[in-house]
C-alpha cells in the first residue's frame, strides 16, 4: 500500500531517502502518505499544497477528496481558492472572526437529503 500511495503522489523514487534529503514539497507529500497508510480518520492540513507545483497539488487534493469520500474527516487551512473548491464546507475567516457573509456547505454536509 505504501508504494501505491507514493506512486500516486509522485514520490516513489525517493522511498529510500531521509527527510532532510527531500524538498519541502516532497516532505509534504510524504506526510500525506503517512496519513493514508495509517488509515487516519482525521486529517489536519495546514496549506497542504503550499510547496507543490500545480500538478502535484491537484494530485494531493484529489487524494484528499478520495479519502473524504471514504470517511476521513479533513480540516484544511488554505489561501488557495482552487484547493478550497474541493471542500464540501468552507468557513471563511476575516480578521480572526468567522465571515458570516461567506459560508459554503453542500446539501449532504448540511444533512439535507434529496
Amino acid at each position: 500500500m505504501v508504494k501505491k500511495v507514493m506512486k500516486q503522489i509522485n514520490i516513489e523514487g525517493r522511498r529510500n531517502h531521509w527527510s532532510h534529503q527531500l524538498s519541502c514539497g516532497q516532505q509534504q507529500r510524504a506526510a500525506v502518505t503517512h496519513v493514508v497508510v495509517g488509515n487516519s480518520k482525521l486529517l489536519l492540513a495546514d496549506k497542504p499544497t503550499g510547496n507543490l507545483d500545480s500538478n502535484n497539488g491537484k494530485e494531493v487534493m484529489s487524494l484528499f477528496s478520495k479519502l473524504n469520500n471514504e470517511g476521513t474527516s479533513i480540516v484544511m487551512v488554505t489561501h488557495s481558492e482552487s484547493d478550497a473548491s474541493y471542500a464540501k464546507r468552507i468557513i471563511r475567516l476575516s480578521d480572526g472572526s468567522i465571515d458570516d457573509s461567506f459560508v459554503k456547505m453542500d446539501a449532504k454536509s448540511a444533512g439535507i437529503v434529496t
Side-chain angles (χ1 to χ4, degrees):
M1 171 144 193
V2 174
K3 289 179 185 178
K4 179 182 173 187
V5 175
M6 290 181 81
K7 184 174 184 172
Q8 183 177 357
I9 58 175
N10 198 25
I11 59 169
E12 74 275 30
R14 307 295 280 175
R15 192 177 94 215
N16 295 318
H17 289 75
W18 295 99
S19 59
H20 70 276
Q21 296 172 309
L22 303 175
S23 70
C24 290
Q26 290 167 334
Q27 289 177 11
Q28 277 187 294
R29 288 178 279 156
V32 170
T33 302
H34 285 275
V35 171
V36 175
V37 172
N39 199 27
S40 299
K41 295 300 174 198
L42 175 64
L43 189 154
L44 302 175
D46 183 8
K47 297 175 246 159
T49 63
N51 291 316
L52 305 179
D53 61 60
S54 59
N55 288 332
N56 283 313
K58 287 177 187 173
E59 287 295 325
V60 167
M61 294 310 300
S62 179
L63 181 58
F64 280 10
S65 290
K66 180 179 181 251
L67 291 171
N68 184 248
N69 290 333
E70 293 172 353
T72 300
S73 297
I74 301 173
V75 177
M76 177 176 62
V77 176
T78 186
H79 296 283
S80 167
E81 292 293 330
S82 176
D83 290 355
S85 72
Y86 284 83
K88 293 178 182 172
R89 182 175 184 198
I90 298 172
I91 300 172
R92 189 163 294 183
L93 299 177
S94 179
D95 297 326
S97 298
I98 294 175
D99 181 353
D100 291 328
S101 67
F102 185 89
V103 174
K104 172 198 160 199
M105 187 180 314
D106 69 7
K108 184 177 177 184
S109 297
I112 301 169
V113 179
T114 55

